[in-house]
Amino acid sequence: HLESDILIVDEVLAVGDAAFQKKCLGKMEDVAEKDGRTVLFVSHNMATIQNLCNHIIFLNQGQDHAQGSCDQIIQLYLKSGITSQNWDNL
């Protein structure tokens, strides 16, 4: 199921128990590091993004708002006031 060049993972860690989340994180790391494939991880969880990603694209209302390093873009995201709680209001 994971033979594509690009794997898109959309909020997979928002569901499931800790064991499921750990398994998913491990598989994403394997695909990216060991197999050398691209993982596009979609999430609002900044801690997980910081641990998994080396480049971030910040989308706002479907538009490319900013791109760059984790630290830079996470700070921009946090300053924007957008959270998973108010995301649906955009």
Side-chain angles (χ1 to χ4, degrees):
H1 294 56
L2 300 175
E3 297 302 320
S4 63
D5 290 333
I6 300 174
L7 175 64
I8 301 174
V9 182
D10 186 2
E11 292 285 1
V12 68
L13 302 177
V15 298
D17 59 12
F20 173 77
Q21 291 179 9
K22 184 176 179 179
K23 181 179 177 181
C24 288
L25 287 171
K27 183 51 93 174
M28 284 188 285
E29 288 174 352
D30 286 348
V31 166
E33 293 176 13
K34 294 178 183 172
D35 297 346
R37 292 186 275 160
T38 299
V39 177
L40 178 61
F41 179 63
V42 180
S43 181
H44 294 99
N45 185 321
M46 296 302 110
T48 304
I49 289 171
Q50 182 104 37
N51 289 332
L52 288 177
C53 303
N54 54 28
H55 186 85
I56 297 176
I57 301 171
F58 175 10
L59 298 176
N60 188 357
Q61 296 184 351
Q63 300 295 313
D64 181 348
H65 185 70
Q67 295 186 40
S69 69
C70 288
D71 292 338
Q72 174 189 20
I73 303 303
I74 287 173
Q75 289 303 315
L76 180 65
Y77 173 81
L78 294 173
K79 288 178 183 176
S80 75
I82 298 170
T83 65
S84 58
Q85 287 79 30
N86 66 11
W87 188 254
D88 292 332
N89 296 327
L90 294 177

